[in-house]
């Protein structure tokens, strides 16, 4: 699928790629069958927010339904997807991930900030508490799930208390890895015109603290596979 309807206040994607447009499921399945015939073993389904897949089709199909159909294609051994927006990750999708044998036990679930106040300014449409509750539901259904995330440091108006909320989520969720970013202005986005931009020196110090925390936890989490034999492509 292409485009995005979410209009996060820091993001330029809806302005440059337009509104969400989903490819027809038959077209997607046919392409994957061709790839499988060529010997491809792993496919990744891509969208700015895959949870919204199919809503604008003449005959709506949910992303969970699409996953189940891809899971049935002979020759494909692994299925991945990204990105999922936390605000509308459904119980149906969690169940499909649990039941589909070929879907990798990995979910990229962008946090962006652990502060509900900053999340509201970002127009993310979920709170810290809702995010943590979602993580809990995912892990109850799929205990061995690997979780990765995106985090922005230094969003306009971010205080030390807001940043500590982000560190709190990182410590509680314990991500396998995290893509960490320093906030940068995108022309024509609402965030670019916000007046309370954070001092770059402060942002850099917070970013380094976050990076240390993420790397330490990631090292501990990934050690779970030490001295085990795993199948790789």
């Amino acid at each position: 699928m292409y485009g995005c309807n979410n209009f996060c206040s820091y993001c330029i994607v809806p302005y440059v790629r337009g509104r969400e447009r989903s490819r027809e499921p038959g077209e997607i399945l046919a392409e994957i069958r061709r790839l499988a015939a060529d010997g491809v073993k792993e496919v990744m389904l891509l969208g700015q927010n895959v949870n919204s897949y199919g809503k604008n089709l003449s005959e709506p199909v949910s992303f969970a339904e699409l996953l189940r159909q891809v899971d049935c294609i002979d020759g494909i051994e692994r299925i991945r997807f990204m990105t999922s927006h936390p605000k509308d990750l459904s119980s149906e999708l969690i169940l499909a991930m649990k039941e589909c044998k070929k879907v990798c036990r990995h979910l990229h679930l962008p946090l962006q900030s652990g502060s509900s106040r900053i999340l509201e300014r970002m127009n993310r449409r979920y709170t810290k508490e809702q995010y943590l509750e979602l993580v809990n539901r995912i892990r109850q259904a799929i205990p061995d799930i690997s979780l990765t995330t995106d985090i922005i440091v230094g969003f306009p108006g971010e205080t030390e208390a807001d940043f500590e909320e982000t560190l709190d989520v990182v410590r509680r969720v314990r991500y396998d890895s995290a893509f960490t970013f320093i906030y940068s202005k995108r022309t024509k986005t609402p965030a670019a015109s916000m007046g309370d931009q954070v001092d770059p020196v402060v942002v850099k110090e917070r970013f380094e603290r976050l990076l240390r925390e993420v790397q330490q936890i990631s090292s501990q989490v990934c050690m779970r596979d030490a001295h085990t034999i795993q199948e790789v492509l």
Side-chain angles (χ1 to χ4, degrees):
M1 59 188 297
Y2 309 93
C4 186
N5 289 355
N6 288 310
F7 289 91
C8 299
S9 63
Y10 52 80
C11 184
I12 199 69
V13 167
Y15 305 99
V16 296
R17 296 186 187 171
R19 296 300 185 95
E20 290 172 351
R21 305 177 308 285
S22 299
R23 292 178 64 192
E24 291 290 340
E27 180 186 331
I28 296 169
L29 296 170
E31 181 179 349
I32 294 173
R33 290 190 185 100
R34 289 195 299 271
L35 291 169
D38 283 341
V40 169
K41 300 297 182 186
E42 178 176 317
V43 292
M44 177 174 280
L45 305 176
L46 290 171
Q48 202 68 29
N49 176 22
V50 294
N51 300 339
S52 294
Y53 173 78
K55 292 179 180 178
N56 63 339
L57 294 172
S58 56
E59 296 182 14
V61 174
S62 73
F63 185 64
E65 290 171 328
L66 180 67
L67 270 188
R68 291 185 185 277
Q69 292 178 51
V70 177
D71 197 60
C72 294
I73 295 177
D74 292 335
I76 296 298
E77 296 179 9
R78 295 184 181 182
I79 304 164
R80 299 183 187 275
F81 61 87
M82 69 185 312
T83 297
S84 278
H85 197 301
K87 74 175 174 57
D88 52 9
L89 195 153
S90 67
S91 297
E92 180 193 15
L93 179 54
I94 295 172
L95 185 62
M97 287 190 69
K98 178 181 179 179
E99 294 179 348
C100 290
K101 293 181 180 180
K102 298 175 184 177
V103 174
C104 293
R105 300 299 186 253
H106 166 235
L107 183 64
H108 189 70
L109 195 65
L111 170 67
Q112 307 303 6
S113 173
S115 163
S116 294
R117 187 181 73 85
I118 295 297
L119 287 170
E120 184 175 7
R121 299 196 84 193
M122 289 178 165
N123 194 34
R124 291 291 289 172
R125 288 178 277 178
Y126 56 83
T127 64
K128 171 185 178 179
E129 291 71 27
Q130 288 169 333
Y131 184 94
L132 289 171
E133 193 275 331
L134 175 60
V135 168
N136 186 50
R137 284 197 290 118
I138 293 166
R139 283 194 162 141
Q140 283 182 344
I142 313 169
D144 61 341
I145 192 89
S146 291
L147 292 177
T148 55
T149 197
D150 297 333
I151 300 172
I152 297 172
V153 178
F155 187 80
E158 181 187 74
T159 64
E160 178 63 22
D162 292 320
F163 177 69
E164 286 292 341
E165 295 276 14
T166 297
L167 289 180
D168 180 57
V169 175
V170 167
R171 290 164 183 151
R172 291 166 70 173
V173 176
R174 296 181 62 80
Y175 298 102
D176 286 56
S177 68
F179 297 97
T180 54
F181 305 91
I182 288 176
Y183 168 76
S184 59
K185 290 183 180 181
R186 293 291 182 267
T187 306
K188 298 183 180 179
T189 61
S193 59
M194 291 180 180
D196 44 359
Q197 304 288 323
V198 184
D199 185 332
V201 175
V202 173
V203 176
K204 185 173 184 296
E205 187 271 337
R206 287 177 186 166
F207 181 78
E208 290 172 351
R209 282 161 58 196
L210 174 64
L211 204 58
R212 286 195 299 270
E213 194 74 36
V214 165
Q215 290 175 340
Q216 180 180 1
I217 292 171
S218 177
S219 176
Q220 294 167 358
V221 170
C222 293
M223 279 300 291
R224 67 187 168 214
D225 291 327
H227 309 297
T228 67
I229 297 172
Q230 301 290 336
E231 182 180 9
V232 299
L233 278 177

